[in-house]
């Protein structure tokens, strides 16, 4: 089983005040929801896990070994999939098939193998027939699902999802919940969507002033909330 | 944005293989560009018209494109007949050079012929297909990828710019000839630039996370079919016909 550990991380953006101070976190067993106010550093934490930002102090450990050179980072990036907040940043290839096949080609699969894996992944997400679509012409929801396909095709052991339900319509959101449930991978999800987190995660960490506070996600749904079109029958998902 | 207006369609030109269309268009344009005779250029225009008809594009949109090109050609008509040397038609004070008129006609015929061939052959493929076709023709991978990335993000950048511009308009911004307007447009452009830069960084990060190591793979387009070759041979024959007409008119000594 893959585990990623953040050990005593301190980080502050250049010229800014310290965002985390001696923060530690282990992922790889649970499905974790990560909440926190805007600007509290949730996305920054993901960037540090993936090695896109280097912490001022502390280390990232993959299966107990410190990740400190290019090879180790490449290994970590194969095992941890990161879904960006904005799918337009993630889908850069001309066609859907090429975008999904991009990762497999980079890690050494032949063109026909990459094609096969990409097609299988699209199929498993209910996106069969999307292969030749032009990426920028997809709808917002389709973009998000294709972006997820580009991550899943790498067969990651852990997922990091940054606000995956932003701007999704209820149907696509439901589809995403079903997909994540079926995957049953350890993951960390940043979201402000409590209802979504209650459905997809086991435990919630809230990030406030550089510290993580743990609570069970079953406590999440106990507050009153409003629905648009509330007079129509709707599903609270248990 | 006025873009890719012609790439959707079911005509033979749309269905043909993009690689052969690109080579055909290139070959044809070089032959036409080297023409000096009116007969050669006239034949080329005729072939251009036939190909254009074969592509079955929306006539109004084609006319708009051609109008744009021919507006530019008006500058030639406005200068060449009055500036070239040699024998002239005289209308009182007005001397219209015969060589000038001939030259302007030649330029007009050649330009329209090449534009028509490109509309019929190249504009009938999507930008994505063209990028892949160029890569399959062994053009440098970097240039093809640059083309495809530009195409991928030009819409995103345009949307970002439009969002900013709309936000300015909604807050009562009325463009005028004033320092405030210039400053506002400067800010809009500057902000678009900064956002593009940041997006570029995020895209690069996304590529790194998926194992990008400097080589961008493009999947190869499907194989060329028999009827694509047929169209290709026809194109080469047509271009050769133009070349032969040109050469005979030169040999015949007519100007």
């Amino acid at each position: 089983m893959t585990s990623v550990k953040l050990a005593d991380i301190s980080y502050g953006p250049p010229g800014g005040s310290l965002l985390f101070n001696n923060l530690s976190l282990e992922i790889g067993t649970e499905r974790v929801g990560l909440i926190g106010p805007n600007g509290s550093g949730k996305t920054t934490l993901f960037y540090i896990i993936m090695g896109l930002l280097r912490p001022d102090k502390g280390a990232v450990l993959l299966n107990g070994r410190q990740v400190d050179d290019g090879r180790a980072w490449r290994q970590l990036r194969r095992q941890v999939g990161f879904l960006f907040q904005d799918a337009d940043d993630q889908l850069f290839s001309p066609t859907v098939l090429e975008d999904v096949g991009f990762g497999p080609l980079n890690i050494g699969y032949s063109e026909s193998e990459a094609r096969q894996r990409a097609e299988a992944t699209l199929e498993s997400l209910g996106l069969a027939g999307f292969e030749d679509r032009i990426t920028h012409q997809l709808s917002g929801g389709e973009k998000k699902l294709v972006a997820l396909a580009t991550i899943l095709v790498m067969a990651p052991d852990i997922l990091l999802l940054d606000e995956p339900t932003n701007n999704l319509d209820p149907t696509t959101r439901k589809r995403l919940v079903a997909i994540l449930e079926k995957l049953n991978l350890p993951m960390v999800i940043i979201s402000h969507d409590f209802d979504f987190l209650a459905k997809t995660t086991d435990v919630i960490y809230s990030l406030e002033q550089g510290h993580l506070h743990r609570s069970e996600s079953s406590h999440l749904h106990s507050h009153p909330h409003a629905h648009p079109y509330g007079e129509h029958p709707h599903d609270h998902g248990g | 944005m006025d873009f890719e207006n012609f790439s959707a369609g079911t005509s033979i030109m749309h269905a043909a293989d993009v690689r052969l269309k690109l080579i055909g268009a290139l070959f044809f344009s070089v032959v036409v560009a080297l023409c000096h005779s009116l007969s050669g250029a006239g034949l080329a225009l005729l072939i251009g018209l036939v190909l254009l008809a074969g592509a079955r594009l929306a006539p109004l949109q084609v006319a708009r494109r051609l109008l744009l090109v021919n507006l530019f050609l008006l500058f030639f008509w406005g200068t060449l007949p009055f500036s070239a040397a040699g024998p002239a038609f005289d209308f009182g004070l007005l001397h219209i050079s015969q060589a000038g008129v001939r030259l302007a006609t030649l330029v007009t015929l050649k330009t329209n012929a090449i534009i028509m061939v490109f509309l019929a052959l190249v504009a009938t493929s999507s930008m994505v297909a063209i990028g892949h076709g160029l890569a399959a023709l062994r053009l440098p991978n970097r240039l093809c990828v640059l083309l495809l990335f530009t195409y991928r993000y030009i819409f995103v950048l345009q949307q970002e710019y439009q969002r900013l511009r709309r936000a300015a308009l909604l807050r009562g911004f009325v463009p005028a000839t004033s320092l405030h307007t210039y400053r506002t447009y400067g800010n809009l452009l500057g902000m678009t630039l900064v956002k593009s830069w940041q997006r570029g960084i995020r895209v690069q990060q996304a590529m790194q996370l998926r194992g990008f190591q400097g080589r961008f793979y493009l999947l190869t387009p499907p194989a060329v079919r028999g009827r694509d070759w047929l169209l290709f041979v026809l194109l080469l024959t047509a271009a050769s016909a133009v070349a032969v007409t040109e050469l005979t008119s030169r040999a015949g000594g007519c100007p």
Side-chain angles (χ1 to χ4, degrees), chain A residues 32-36 42 45-46 188-191 197 205 207 212:
Chain A
V32 179
L34 184 58
I35 59 176
K42 302 181 296 292
L45 200 62
F46 277 9
V188 184
I189 305 177
I190 295 177
S191 185
L197 287 181
Y205 285 104
L207 182 62
L212 287 170

Side-chain angles (χ1 to χ4, degrees), chain A residues 148-193:
Chain A
L148 186 61
T150 69
I151 306 300
L152 293 180
V153 73
M154 308 280 277
D157 301 319
I158 299 175
L159 288 181
L160 306 181
L161 312 176
D162 193 353
E163 304 204 17
T165 56
N166 265 9
N167 299 320
L168 291 190
D169 63 41
T171 321
T172 316
R173 185 173 167 282
K174 224 174 191 171
R175 235 171 118 181
L176 187 64
V177 171
I179 289 168
L180 294 181
E181 254 167 15
K182 210 172 95 188
L183 279 175
N184 200 21
L185 283 174
M187 56 183 86
V188 184
I189 305 177
I190 295 177
S191 185
H192 300 288
D193 182 344

Side-chain angles (χ1 to χ4, degrees), chain A residues 47 50 52 74 77-78 82 84 86-95 97-103 105-107 111 115 134-137 143 150-151 154, chain B residues 4 126 128-129 132 148-149 151-153 155-156 159-160 198-221:
Chain A
Y47 275 50
M50 300 305 289
L52 293 173
R74 275 202 291 281
R77 287 166 184 175
R78 273 185 71 165
F82 177 11
F84 281 28
D86 184 350
D88 263 322
D89 293 338
Q90 215 150 11
L91 303 178
F92 41 76
S93 299
T95 64
L97 186 66
E98 271 168 323
D99 218 306
V100 182
F102 178 83
L105 285 169
N106 284 331
I107 57 180
E111 196 178 309
R115 196 184 281 265
I134 309 293
T135 45
H136 82 258
Q137 291 168 353
K143 274 184 191 167
T150 69
I151 306 300
M154 308 280 277
Chain B
E4 279 213 338
S126 70
V128 170
H132 283 110
L148 289 168
F149 265 68
Y151 172 74
R152 170 66 183 86
Y153 283 103
F155 297 97
V156 178
Q159 274 167 15
E160 249 156 34
Q198 287 176 337
R199 188 176 289 278
I201 290 175
R202 290 198 302 272
V203 171
Q204 195 199 5
Q205 288 173 336
M207 293 174 72
Q208 273 172 12
L209 293 187
R210 284 159 69 197
F212 181 66
Q213 285 176 62
R215 170 96 177 88
F216 198 95
Y217 299 88
L218 290 170
L219 302 177
T220 27

Side-chain angles (χ1 to χ4, degrees), chain A:
Chain A
M1 199 192 310
T2 304
S3 84
V4 173
K5 207 163 151 183
L6 297 181
D8 300 319
I9 298 280
S10 296
Y11 176 80
S17 59
L18 222 53
L19 215 43
F20 316 120
N21 198 358
N22 285 327
L23 181 143
S24 294
L25 171 70
E26 181 162 6
I27 51 178
T29 49
E30 295 170 306
R31 296 184 302 167
V32 179
L34 184 58
I35 59 176
N38 294 124
S40 57
K42 302 181 296 292
T43 302
T44 308
L45 200 62
F46 277 9
Y47 275 50
I48 288 174
I49 295 173
M50 300 305 289
L52 293 173
L53 287 175
R54 296 295 149 92
D56 302 329
K57 202 175 82 54
V60 179
L61 286 82
L62 175 68
N63 297 326
R65 285 177 50 187
Q66 187 170 344
V67 183
D68 50 7
D69 60 357
R71 250 189 71 170
W73 280 116
R74 275 202 291 281
Q75 185 59 37
L76 180 138
R77 287 166 184 175
R78 273 185 71 165
Q79 295 186 282
V80 183
F82 177 11
L83 185 71
F84 281 28
Q85 207 174 109
D86 184 350
D88 263 322
D89 293 338
Q90 215 150 11
L91 303 178
F92 41 76
S93 299
T95 64
V96 167
L97 186 66
E98 271 168 323
D99 218 306
V100 182
F102 178 83
L105 285 169
N106 284 331
I107 57 180
Y109 287 102
S110 74
E111 196 178 309
S112 68
E113 285 170 322
R115 196 184 281 265
Q116 220 166 32
R117 288 176 76 90
E119 280 167 355
T121 308
L122 287 170
E123 169 99 47
S124 74
L125 294 182
L127 294 171
F130 272 64
E131 287 82 358
D132 292 328
R133 296 275 298 273
I134 309 293
T135 45
H136 82 258
Q137 291 168 353
L138 300 172
S139 76
E142 291 167 344
K143 274 184 191 167
K144 186 56 79 175
L145 292 177
V146 171
L148 186 61
T150 69
I151 306 300
L152 293 180
V153 73
M154 308 280 277
D157 301 319
I158 299 175
L159 288 181
L160 306 181
L161 312 176
D162 193 353
E163 304 204 17
T165 56
N166 265 9
N167 299 320
L168 291 190
D169 63 41
T171 321
T172 316
R173 185 173 167 282
K174 224 174 191 171
R175 235 171 118 181
L176 187 64
V177 171
I179 289 168
L180 294 181
E181 254 167 15
K182 210 172 95 188
L183 279 175
N184 200 21
L185 283 174
M187 56 183 86
V188 184
I189 305 177
I190 295 177
S191 185
H192 300 288
D193 182 344
F194 294 123
D195 192 49
F196 177 74
L197 287 181
K199 280 180 188 158
T200 50
T201 62
D202 316 309
V203 58
I204 299 289
Y205 285 104
S206 65
L207 182 62
E208 265 168 83
Q209 281 154 6
H211 294 285
L212 287 170
H213 306 280
R214 185 186 166 108
S215 63
E216 302 304 314
S217 61
S218 52
H219 294 306
L220 268 180
H221 209 65
S222 58
H223 59 91
H225 60 275
H227 286 274
Y229 311 112
E231 70 272 28
H232 297 296
H234 58 267
D235 172 26
H236 275 219

Side-chain angles (χ1 to χ4, degrees), chain B residues 84-106:
Chain B
F89 309 108
D90 282 314
F91 301 99
L93 283 175
L94 210 58
H95 302 280
I96 295 178
S97 150
Q98 289 175 21
V101 171
R102 192 187 167 279
L103 207 55
T105 313
L106 186 68

